[in-house]
Amino acid sequence: MPEANQEIRSTISQFIQRLDEVSDHAISHVTVTIHGGLQHFFPDKRITHFSVTKMEGVAELSYQDMELEAPIPNMVTIIATEKKPKEA
């Protein structure tokens, strides 16, 4: 999945660059949240995990924050949940 992760990173960077162009450089900050799976995390960035009890069927929520190279300051957050095992 590393190629797909790099493609995600590149696509978001291009999106932010295009926003900067069409806004005539008037956008001061961009925040992007991606709700994906554990496979979407970038191995070179810190991942935060914590247990959850209030989300039915979910045992753990994980997220990763990063700033990408782009002309506008930005914060990209990837969120993923891990399902609880089915009880027999």
Side-chain angles (χ1 to χ4, degrees):
M1 182 63 101
E3 300 85 24
N5 287 348
Q6 192 56 40
E7 186 70 23
I8 290 169
R9 188 181 290 192
S10 175
T11 300
I12 295 169
S13 290
Q14 290 170 18
F15 168 72
I16 294 170
Q17 181 173 348
R18 184 73 179 127
L19 279 176
D20 188 47
E21 292 168 2
V22 300
S23 72
D24 198 25
H25 313 290
I27 295 175
S28 62
H29 187 269
V30 173
T31 301
V32 176
T33 303
I34 301 169
H35 296 263
L38 299 172
Q39 72 274 16
H40 295 113
F41 289 128
F42 297 95
D44 60 332
K45 303 291 180 188
R46 185 172 71 101
I47 301 169
T48 303
H49 307 273
F50 57 92
S51 297
V52 294
T53 58
K54 305 248 179 197
M55 294 175 68
E56 187 173 332
V58 176
E60 184 175 84
L61 185 127
S62 303
Y63 70 92
Q64 183 178 66
D65 289 324
M66 70 185 97
E67 186 170 348
L68 299 180
E69 292 246 352
I72 302 172
N74 62 84
M75 177 58 64
V76 176
T77 303
I78 301 172
I79 298 173
T81 56
E82 187 173 314
K83 305 255 185 238
K84 289 181 185 174
K86 299 256 185 205
E87 294 182 13

